[in-house]
Amino acid sequence: MRLLFYALFGLMGLVLQAAVLPHLVPLQFKPGLLLILVVYLGISEKAGFGAPLAYLFGLLFDVFAGAEPGRYGLLFLLLYFSVRGTIGFFNPENPLLLLFLVACGTLLESSLLIFLDGFFAAGTLWPIVLRALLPQLLVNVIAAGVLLLSVTWLQRRFPRLRVPGMQRLDERYES
Amino acid sequence: MFDLLKRYRRQILACGLILAALLLYSANLRRSGAASFFERAVLAVTAPILNGFDTVWRSATGTWDHYLWLIDTAAENDRLNEENRRLQSDLIAVQEVGLANERLRRLLDFKEELAVLTLPAQVIGEDATSWFRTVVIDKGSDDGVAEGMPVVVAEGVVGRTIRVAAGQSRVLLITDASSAVASLVQKNRTRGICRGEGASLTLDFALRLKEIEIGDLIVSSGTGGVFPKGLAIGHVEAVSRGDFGLFQTVTVTPTVDFSRLEEVLILLRLPLVDEAL
């Protein structure tokens, strides 16, 4: 069930980013929906389940992003482990944590992109990444906020809806 | 030793997974440009969704354009009629030049250029990130498309195909940071390489002593082996010439509006480059 939820959300995010949002949102910056999903995986799922899934999302994302397969696979895996490694220092019950970690995730994504491009390719990507970094960070945080509000609203509206991760937080209060 | 491995097994597994991902990425960089089975499968699975959304979007915007904006049609019609008359007279002049060109070519015994086989395609998806510049088109290997084929529109060069599945392909736009096109300044034939900068292009390796002015047209030189000679790439937007050094920095605005890219043409066969030119 959890896998189905993540797979559906991942596929939806991919199609939204590649085909739907460029038509509907008149901005050149697309929200990183899969990045938000990987950060969410890092907050709520253990490495045995979350890490392979983050890598798979990265490989899927590579089919629609850039010209080098495997780049986002590696990048999302590093992002997942970074979130997983630091989550112990924060209060995971605070909903604002997702927004904060999405902002940090965007910065990490940009840094890794510049590093990988400089190390493995021509090293010409950094001006584009640096120019777009702040607007992209803002767009990602807004998208994470909208998603968070939507999920919270859906859970209130349909109490039987089980969103992985969110449910576990609620159960802590119930026991 | 075993206790140590047991204690740090998570960290060791994480490092192993990251290392494996890094090796796979590195191996992919060395591989030829052909799409892997995984990429072809994902493109094939997602294509109906992308095509479906594209069809819905086109019919919705078509309805809007055709039925709701009729109020502007009369004025638009008058303007187009006037433009048509002007273009007709231009066309006659161009035909005259064409005929003269043909006579001179025969006179100089130039080689005949191959007729370019083109395949029209529709853009059904864009790059999923804000950092890279690629698009997905609805034609693939079943239609005769292969990796490395040039993609153009009437205004100029769009890019080249980098991944080809059965019914879809991905095109790397010339504005992507990893894209480079062998180019010429049309006016004085100064050579250079046009590199993508996201929204604009930069003409690298243009000799500093060559006179390049704002507004000059940059065309493909045909020496890169991908794009045929003479396709429009962009207009010079800014020129920066230092006090020393071999080259000058030239910023180029693409002739193609990449934000409104809907239909493109894939050049299935390149014309012969005239060696005498």
Side-chain angles (χ1 to χ4, degrees):
Chain A
M1 187 62 191
R2 272 190 304 159
L3 188 67
L4 190 71
F5 166 83
Y6 286 121
L8 267 177
F9 191 90
L11 196 67
M12 253 171 56
L14 201 63
V15 172
L16 273 173
Q17 269 184 254
V20 182
L21 289 176
H23 286 300
L24 299 180
V25 186
L27 292 171
Q28 66 177 110
F29 304 103
K30 294 152 198 144
L33 297 177
L34 261 79
L35 180 134
I36 296 169
L37 184 62
V38 171
V39 170
Y40 184 71
L41 271 175
I43 296 173
S44 56
E45 297 294 346
K46 287 182 179 165
F49 178 77
L53 206 56
Y55 185 59
L56 185 69
F57 283 144
L59 290 183
L60 274 174
F61 200 58
D62 272 318
V63 179
F64 293 93
E68 291 164 7
R71 171 162 42 193
Y72 267 94
L74 174 65
L75 215 141
F76 279 179
L77 195 62
L78 287 167
L79 179 62
Y80 171 82
F81 280 122
S82 306
V83 173
R84 200 74 207 149
T86 51
I87 195 72
F89 300 108
F90 302 108
N91 172 17
E93 286 152 25
N94 189 342
L96 289 179
L97 179 67
L98 180 73
L99 306 189
F100 173 71
L101 286 177
V102 164
C104 294
T106 310
L107 291 175
L108 184 70
E109 180 201 16
S110 318
S111 317
L112 287 171
L113 273 175
I114 292 173
F115 171 74
L116 289 176
D117 185 61
F119 201 74
F120 290 100
T124 48
L125 190 65
W126 65 269
I128 297 173
V129 174
L130 289 184
R131 262 201 306 266
L133 182 55
L134 276 178
Q136 184 63 50
L137 195 144
L138 204 65
V139 167
N140 282 357
V141 170
I142 291 170
V146 170
L147 278 173
L148 201 65
L149 287 174
S150 314
V151 169
T152 317
W153 180 83
L154 277 174
Q155 277 196 319
R156 279 199 204 121
R157 185 81 181 76
F158 307 101
R160 285 189 175 186
L161 185 76
R162 299 182 80 81
V163 178
M166 291 275 183
Q167 224 67 27
R168 214 168 298 160
L169 294 179
D170 292 349
E171 279 160 12
R172 287 186 199 176
Y173 292 107
E174 284 164 10
S175 58
Chain B
M1 179 68 182
F2 187 70
D3 283 347
L4 202 71
L5 283 176
K6 203 174 172 183
R7 191 188 299 167
Y8 293 109
R9 69 177 190 281
R10 281 182 189 166
Q11 286 86 341
I12 292 168
L13 275 172
C15 287
L17 205 56
I18 290 169
L19 196 67
L22 186 66
L23 286 174
L24 191 75
Y25 171 57
S26 174
N28 274 328
L29 288 174
R30 290 200 199 107
R31 207 163 49 94
S32 65
S36 65
F37 172 76
F38 179 76
E39 287 173 291
R40 287 200 304 269
V42 173
L43 276 172
V45 167
T46 51
I49 310 171
L50 299 184
N51 269 325
F53 181 78
D54 192 59
T55 310
V56 170
W57 179 258
R58 273 170 206 277
S59 35
T61 49
T63 308
W64 177 262
D65 289 346
H66 287 112
Y67 295 105
L68 300 179
W69 286 4
L70 275 175
I71 200 156
D72 291 333
T73 307
E76 182 76 2
N77 196 30
D78 289 344
R79 193 185 62 76
L80 288 174
N81 273 332
E82 196 178 323
E83 193 176 336
N84 190 30
R85 279 196 295 275
R86 189 175 53 77
L87 289 174
Q88 285 284 356
S89 64
D90 286 354
L91 185 65
I92 293 165
V94 170
Q95 279 170 343
E96 280 300 312
V97 174
L99 287 171
N101 193 352
E102 204 174 313
R103 281 197 304 275
L104 289 168
R105 276 174 172 273
R106 280 203 204 114
L107 203 66
L108 293 168
D109 199 22
F110 273 5
K111 285 179 189 170
E112 279 295 308
E113 285 182 13
L114 278 179
V116 188
L117 271 177
T118 58
L119 177 72
Q122 284 198 335
V123 176
I124 56 168
E126 282 186 19
D127 199 284
T129 68
S130 310
W131 323 114
F132 304 106
R133 303 289 183 270
T134 62
V135 291
V136 183
I137 54 171
D138 66 343
K139 294 289 187 294
S141 54
D142 287 352
D143 309 285
V145 182
E147 273 97 1
M149 283 184 166
V151 179
V152 300
V153 288
E155 290 81 19
V157 179
V158 170
R160 66 186 162 91
T161 53
I162 49 165
R163 300 278 182 273
V164 178
Q168 309 73 37
S169 307
R170 279 185 69 209
V171 177
L172 183 75
L173 304 183
I174 54 166
T175 46
D176 188 272
S178 60
S179 188
V181 185
S183 316
L184 283 174
V185 180
Q186 194 188 42
K187 188 181 69 181
N188 58 8
R189 318 310 280 175
T190 304
R191 287 183 181 275
I193 304 284
C194 259
R195 286 188 186 282
E197 288 275 339
S200 62
L201 304 156
T202 303
L203 183 72
D204 288 340
F205 309 117
L207 289 174
R208 193 172 144 268
L209 296 174
K210 299 283 184 177
E211 201 61 45
I212 300 175
E213 289 171 352
I214 292 171
D216 282 355
L217 182 67
I218 309 292
V219 295
S220 56
S221 71
T223 53
V226 177
F227 299 100
K229 189 173 186 169
L231 293 175
I233 292 174
H235 288 101
V236 174
E237 188 194 333
V239 183
S240 166
R241 225 177 263 122
D243 292 333
F244 51 85
L246 267 178
F247 307 111
Q248 52 189 317
T249 310
V250 181
T251 308
V252 178
T253 308
T255 48
V256 177
D257 183 359
F258 289 101
S259 63
R260 292 170 184 273
L261 210 55
E262 289 182 10
E263 284 91 19
V264 294
L265 283 174
I266 308 161
L267 303 187
L268 297 178
R269 194 197 292 168
L270 286 181
L272 282 178
V273 176
D274 285 335
E275 286 163 12
L277 280 176

